Amino acid sequence: MLRHAPSVAAFLPFSSLYCCPKPLLKPSSLSPNIFKFPSFFSSPPLSMSSRSVSDVLMAAARAAASKSKKRKAQDDGATTNKNPNPTPPSKDPKPTAQPKEEEKPTLGIDDRIAALRKKPIDFKPHSAAFWKEGESIPFLFLARALDLIAGETGRIVITEILCNVFRTVMATTPQDLTAAVYLSANRIAPSHEGVELGIGDAALIKALAEAYGRKEEHIKNQLKGLGDLGLVAKASRSSQSLMFKPSPLTIVKVLDTFRIIAKETGKDSQDKKRNHIKGLLVAAIDCEPLYLIRLLQSKMRIGLAEQTVLVALGQASVYSDSEKHSNTPPLEEAAKIIKQVYSVLPIYDKIVSALLHDGVWNLPEKCTFTLGVPIGPMLAKPTKGVTEILDKFQDTEFTCEYKYDGERAQIHCMEDGSVEIYSRNAERNTGKYPDVVHSVSRFKKPSVRSFVLDCEVVAYDHEKQKILPFQILSTRARKGVILSDIKVQVCIFAFDIIYLNGQPLLQEQLKVRREHLYNSFEELPGTFQFATAIRSNDLEEIQKFLETAVNSSCEGLIIKTLIRDATYEPSKRSLNWLKLKKDYMDSIGDSLDLVPIAAFHGRGKRTGVYGAFLLACYDEQNEEYQSICKIGTGFSENMLEERSASLRDKVITKPKPYYRYGDAMNPDVWFEPSEVWEVKAADLSISPVHRAASGVVDPNKGISLRFPRLLRVREDKAPDQATTSEQVAEMYRAQKFNHSNNQEDEDDD
């Protein structure tokens, strides 16, 4: 006879323990001692080889049912045998516990999550917490909050909900705030660290199938219907029951696991990544699978922009501080500080730590420019012509530089001689330009120990000594470029220096920064050169300089103030930097960077590809995409096939709640906002069909582009960096057109 009978669980397959589509018995219906054989076998247990799992479970059920009947009989007997003449209570009865009816009802999770909708001024942080103070924040809290945000379209409401989320974390478990901010911003690490999850949809589908006991084919079919792998994950979990509940997920656990996934490399790395994902999915409940998958895809799909995360974080800090000091919270100033600090030091770990210890008002002193961490580049505003420049810069000393048609680059040279190169989006491009890294030691002077250069990397023909078009540069591999395999040569055109030998230069005027630039480096023709520039306020001289720039394969000119209001302003599109292109004076001015949000099926020669696309600008205030034109020209056959193929896996079942378009627009397919296209047009017109800058220029109508054509795909820009509705309105006001070109355009194609 066995001394200790093994538990029932020992005879169940692993998948049955965690994910049973149809459990044989619900755990809640079994006795607590069901798995201890001696408590319900009256005779010694049979040999396990002669008993099946079904026999064991049926015996357990019979035992549970028998005990239930006995308890009921005892209860009935107690009721029947009550003394009809009970002894009266004593004069000094012992105190009894308060009846449960009088206890204060405990709020459920739904009620606590709903509290996040309150106006921040009326919100009490602990009212939304369903965990004890100091405990790790459940991932369910963040997932449910994101689900709440998904149902909103207004920027103010979304910001308030997220502000309340951060306040709840700060009030209960402040050490988890960093993880909450990273996940809310749909990031796992700072952009410049180059940490990537390296997970495709195929791997996620396989992980879902294994975690939930489904066939990959069924998941793929369901994905076609739902159009969102996150929704498929949520549906898969809701159809499963757990026999043994794993430990709840926390936001720290989720972020840490994501970072582990990103670090898995080498042989079997995909299997390891998939196992980590399965572990998260098995433990996920409610809407957690939905947001786990979306975060793994880096597609939140709820219209939550990173700028909103920054604003909400600033507001949360102010409200938390005002609760201690009873001050009226200056929210706008706090949001401005957070944005400014993030543009100089885009590392949430450092910002959140300083925020918690020193408060939002001390952040500018605590979070400063750091060598090796890219700052947001300063940007220029478009202008229509030389006369406009002279009008704006009256009585101000300014300079004109060539505007090169390449890729913006920020080159960091550390004290130890190591070099890093970053894009305008703070992405690490060091592996893309090993030739630039190799040349640094040749063009910096011996006195230079460390520096940060703002420059343009341009494709360059060394034999003909001429600049090549951007399209040539775009053929370079994005990472892992081997020096000996380089076919497209490049030249660095430096136009600013923002750090030198341990000293940040952001607050210096451009004239001073330029002197440092010229004194610290040596030009190497075709490898490293200073941006060609002149100082003049003569209209004819500037006009001739513009023509020379265009003839030298440049886009035009950048005009900058030199000694007044000439500091470097990270991430700001400043009026102190203006850009002037040759075609500004021939048409609407600047080209526009727009996002394809929908498409129409091609016909005739274009059967099998998309025949036209619906493009949108971005409204920063409301964080929404507003339709501006339908484009079907400017495509070669190859380009049309490439764009169609690229966007097919971005198809969604219905438009996003933050898409704005006319009722007359009926595209065949809608897209996730994912690409940015540079587009040129003949002019802009008032449109009853499109919604760009709606209500800004005309109270009821938007603005559209006439005769748009595609120039190129902007791989260096994210969708929320597209041309804004405010810029569209400015361009419309600035353009010069006669009355015939100012008529409403019923058909904007």
Side-chain angles (χ1 to χ4, degrees):
M1 184 178 78
L2 294 173
R3 175 170 295 190
H4 297 293
S7 68
V8 176
F11 298 93
L12 295 177
F14 175 78
S15 60
S16 299
L17 291 177
Y18 285 94
C19 300
C20 299
K22 296 179 180 178
L24 296 172
L25 285 171
K26 293 183 179 179
S28 59
S29 68
L30 303 181
S31 167
N33 298 318
I34 186 171
F35 298 124
K36 297 179 182 179
F37 286 87
S39 67
F40 60 85
F41 283 115
S42 57
S43 56
L46 298 174
S47 167
M48 286 299 132
S49 62
S50 65
R51 294 176 63 81
S52 67
V53 173
S54 177
D55 294 334
V56 175
L57 290 174
M58 288 303 294
R62 286 194 295 271
S66 176
K67 287 192 175 186
S68 178
K69 286 180 180 179
K70 287 180 181 180
R71 281 197 300 271
K72 188 175 186 304
Q74 290 171 356
D75 293 342
D76 292 343
T79 304
T80 305
N81 296 327
K82 279 184 179 178
N83 188 349
N85 299 308
T87 305
S90 63
K91 293 181 180 179
D92 299 313
K94 293 181 180 180
T96 57
Q98 290 290 330
K100 288 185 179 181
E101 289 76 7
E102 296 180 10
E103 290 182 1
K104 188 177 180 180
T106 303
L107 291 176
I109 291 180
D110 289 346
D111 294 324
R112 292 188 178 277
I113 294 297
L116 294 172
R117 288 182 180 275
K118 290 186 177 180
K119 287 290 182 181
I121 198 71
D122 301 321
F123 177 71
K124 303 298 181 187
H126 286 86
S127 67
F130 50 88
W131 59 92
K132 294 180 181 177
E133 196 165 311
E135 288 184 349
S136 294
I137 307 294
F139 180 64
L140 180 62
F141 172 66
L142 182 60
R144 289 290 296 271
L146 294 175
D147 223 32
L148 205 61
I149 289 171
E152 301 291 343
T153 57
R155 180 186 60 85
I156 293 175
V157 176
I158 290 174
T159 304
E160 289 175 345
I161 292 173
L162 195 58
C163 169
N164 290 340
V165 168
F166 292 155
R167 287 173 64 193
T168 304
V169 176
M170 294 166 77
T172 58
T173 317
Q175 63 268 28
D176 285 6
L177 182 60
T178 301
V181 172
Y182 267 114
L183 293 178
S184 299
N186 203 5
R187 294 187 182 276
I188 62 171
S191 296
H192 68 275
E193 292 183 1
V195 179
E196 296 180 357
L197 285 164
I199 292 290
D201 282 0
L204 290 175
I205 289 171
K206 192 167 185 178
L208 278 171
E210 294 176 1
Y212 296 145
R214 300 187 62 192
K215 292 183 179 180
E216 289 184 45
E217 184 181 351
H218 292 165
I219 291 176
K220 290 177 182 177
N221 289 335
Q222 193 172 16
L223 176 59
K224 289 179 182 178
L226 295 175
D228 181 350
L229 200 54
L231 291 175
V232 174
K234 183 180 179 182
S236 299
R237 161 52 74 224
S238 65
S239 66
Q240 303 292 328
S241 298
L242 294 178
M243 184 170 286
F244 297 103
K245 189 177 180 181
S247 300
L249 294 176
T250 66
I251 57 175
V252 171
K253 167 73 173 175
V254 170
L255 181 62
D256 287 347
T257 305
F258 284 175
R259 289 174 172 175
I260 291 170
I261 290 170
K263 291 178 181 178
E264 294 287 6
T265 57
K267 187 180 179 182
D268 301 326
S269 62
Q270 287 301 312
D271 291 338
K272 292 176 182 176
K273 289 183 179 189
R274 194 166 63 251
N275 286 333
H276 290 308
I277 295 170
K278 283 162 54 180
L280 293 174
L281 290 173
V282 165
I285 59 172
D286 200 87
C287 63
E288 287 180 329
L290 169 65
Y291 291 101
L292 282 174
I293 292 297
R294 286 182 176 179
L295 287 166
L296 286 165
Q297 291 178 307
S298 297
K299 300 174 186 175
M300 195 81 84
R301 298 172 178 247
I302 60 174
L304 179 59
E306 189 167 30
Q307 289 297 307
T308 300
V309 176
L310 296 174
V311 173
L313 182 61
Q315 292 185 2
S317 177
V318 172
Y319 276 114
S320 296
D321 189 56
S322 65
E323 287 165 7
K324 300 172 186 174
H325 303 98
S326 302
N327 296 326
T328 302
L331 302 178
E332 290 185 10
E333 184 63 24
K336 183 179 178 181
I337 288 175
I338 290 281
K339 288 180 179 180
Q340 184 268 328
V341 166
Y342 186 73
S343 71
V344 174
L345 188 70
I347 303 177
Y348 285 129
D349 308 71
K350 295 185 177 181
I351 293 174
V352 171
S353 177
L355 191 71
L356 293 173
H357 287 91
D358 304 294
V360 68
W361 312 118
N362 295 315
L363 277 185
E365 289 75 41
K366 299 295 180 180
C367 299
T368 57
F369 180 84
T370 303
L371 184 63
V373 179
I375 66 172
M378 187 169 174
L379 304 171
K381 286 202 170 188
T383 186
K384 284 290 293 180
V386 178
T387 53
E388 185 179 345
I389 293 167
L390 296 177
D391 288 341
K392 286 188 176 180
F393 287 163
Q394 253 183 352
D395 303 321
T396 302
E397 192 173 353
F398 62 90
T399 181
C400 302
E401 296 175 351
Y402 280 8
K403 186 182 188 308
Y404 296 91
D405 189 14
E407 182 173 15
R408 188 82 173 260
Q410 203 174 103
I411 303 176
H412 290 237
C413 179
M414 270 46 91
E415 295 280 350
D416 61 2
S418 60
V419 176
E420 295 289 353
I421 303 171
Y422 302 104
S423 72
R424 62 178 289 156
N425 290 329
E427 294 174 350
R428 189 171 179 269
N429 267 353
T430 311
K432 183 176 181 178
Y433 296 114
D435 42 349
V436 173
V437 174
H438 184 69
S439 67
V440 167
S441 60
R442 295 165 51 210
F443 62 73
K444 75 179 182 71
K445 291 184 177 179
S447 60
V448 177
R449 302 187 309 276
S450 59
F451 66 81
V452 176
L453 284 177
D454 197 357
C455 52
E456 195 89 1
V457 177
V458 177
Y460 196 83
D461 187 327
H462 284 249
E463 290 183 6
K464 297 180 180 179
Q465 296 185 355
K466 63 176 292 187
I467 294 171
L468 298 174
F470 175 81
Q471 284 77 7
I472 302 296
L473 182 66
S474 65
T475 61
R476 259 210 187 199
R478 300 189 68 178
K479 54 186 177 181
V481 175
I482 300 172
L483 199 60
S484 58
D485 294 343
I486 292 175
K487 294 179 181 178
V488 178
Q489 303 295 326
V490 298
C491 181
I492 306 158
F493 287 94
F495 52 80
D496 216 329
I497 183 167
I498 51 183
Y499 184 94
L500 180 64
N501 291 341
Q503 294 298 318
L505 303 176
L506 299 176
Q507 297 307 311
E508 298 289 350
Q509 301 296 312
L510 176 58
K511 186 176 181 180
V512 175
R513 299 200 306 273
R514 184 177 277 184
E515 288 172 358
H516 283 301
L517 176 66
Y518 292 163
N519 293 333
S520 302
F521 302 93
E522 295 280 1
E523 286 192 299
L524 297 175
T527 299
F528 175 86
Q529 295 176 215
F530 300 124
T532 303
I534 63 167
R535 290 164 65 174
S536 173
N537 59 2
D538 181 78
L539 190 148
E540 289 185 9
E541 189 175 359
I542 296 173
Q543 184 69 48
K544 183 180 285 188
F545 189 60
L546 171 62
E547 293 172 1
T548 305
V550 172
N551 292 334
S552 300
S553 301
C554 292
E555 290 185 303
L557 301 179
I558 296 286
I559 298 89
K560 305 174 181 178
T561 55
L562 271 173
I563 58 175
R564 193 174 72 189
D565 298 325
T567 58
Y568 194 97
E569 302 174 274
S571 299
K572 185 175 179 181
R573 193 175 295 278
S574 174
L575 281 170
N576 299 320
W577 282 20
L578 301 176
K579 53 184 176 180
L580 176 65
K581 296 182 182 179
K582 174 65 176 174
D583 54 7
Y584 283 9
M585 293 165 282
D586 299 330
S587 59
I588 64 171
D590 200 4
S591 57
L592 294 89
D593 296 322
L594 304 173
V595 179
I597 60 170
F600 303 82
H601 291 313
R603 295 177 178 81
K605 291 182 179 180
R606 290 187 172 183
T607 300
V609 296
Y610 298 127
F613 301 87
L614 181 63
L615 303 185
C617 62
Y618 184 66
D619 186 300
E620 289 181 317
Q621 186 69 18
N622 297 309
E623 292 184 353
E624 61 187 25
Y625 293 92
Q626 301 172 342
S627 73
I628 191 170
C629 70
K630 182 178 169 184
I631 184 172
T633 56
F635 298 93
S636 65
E637 288 186 15
N638 288 339
M639 185 184 291
L640 196 59
E641 288 179 4
E642 287 176 4
R643 301 280 47 87
S644 297
S646 175
L647 289 168
R648 278 197 189 100
D649 63 349
K650 308 296 190 305
V651 171
I652 53 179
T653 54
K654 58 183 180 180
K656 296 290 185 182
Y658 46 88
Y659 285 179
R660 297 289 173 264
Y661 54 93
D663 295 336
M665 278 291 162
N666 293 300
D668 296 308
V669 294
W670 293 94
F671 301 129
E672 188 78 28
S674 58
E675 296 186 0
V676 179
W677 296 359
E678 185 176 355
V679 172
K680 192 69 182 166
D683 58 29
L684 300 104
S685 64
I686 297 296
S687 170
V689 177
H690 293 289
R691 294 293 179 263
S694 179
V696 178
V697 176
D698 184 280
N700 301 310
K701 299 179 178 67
I703 297 172
S704 67
L705 299 184
R706 297 183 71 246
F707 308 112
R709 64 184 187 279
L710 177 65
L711 298 181
R712 60 174 171 170
V713 177
R714 293 297 301 265
E715 294 182 351
D716 60 330
K717 281 195 171 186
D720 60 3
Q721 293 176 316
T723 297
T724 66
S725 55
E726 181 184 357
Q727 289 174 304
V728 171
E730 286 178 0
M731 293 169 72
Y732 177 81
R733 293 189 188 105
Q735 75 176 1
K736 295 178 180 178
F737 50 85
N738 58 39
H739 183 73
S740 62
N741 286 336
N742 191 25
Q743 302 302 309
E744 291 182 7
D745 190 47
E746 296 291 342
D747 185 359
D748 307 294
D749 307 339

